[in-house]
Amino acid sequence: MLRKIIDALKKASPYVPVILLAFARAAFAATSGGQPQIVTGAINLLNDVTSWLLGIIPAGSGAAIGYHALMKQMSDGDPATAAAHNRAMRNVLIGGAIGESAVGITKAFLSYFQG
């Protein structure tokens, strides 16, 4: 029974966006004042989230690098442990750079929609 429901949902899934667009209300259309309220709220939310992320990502990355540097220093010269922490620090640096770049690109994209 569950398999039949899942198969029916898989068959109907390509048509769901079309159905949703067909029954969308005119309230989402642009008003005489400019952007609709839902779009303005979404832009404000994304701006707030990206502002927080621009501060949280470097702080988290710094804390993770500090932790791995401390663990590497306390490893008593074990080369395998030191190599593992070096690799972890490198991964944190790469992840932080990717995260900051993604947030920066998102901020640049959102600035297009600002008045």
Side-chain angles (χ1 to χ4, degrees), residues 24-99:
R25 298 216 151 230
F28 292 117
T31 61
S32 61
Q35 293 178 338
Q37 188 175 2
I38 190 169
V39 173
T40 305
I43 290 172
N44 291 340
L45 175 67
L46 286 173
N47 275 324
D48 293 343
V49 168
T50 53
S51 296
W52 274 95
L53 285 176
L54 283 174
I56 290 174
I57 291 174
S61 296
I65 289 174
Y67 168 77
H68 286 294
L70 179 66
M71 289 291 113
K72 176 183 168 187
Q73 185 178 12
M74 294 176 64
S75 69
D76 295 330
D78 183 23
T81 305
H85 287 292
N86 281 337
R87 189 170 42 256
M89 285 190 285
R90 190 180 119 247
N91 289 341
V92 168
L93 280 174
I94 292 171
I98 290 171

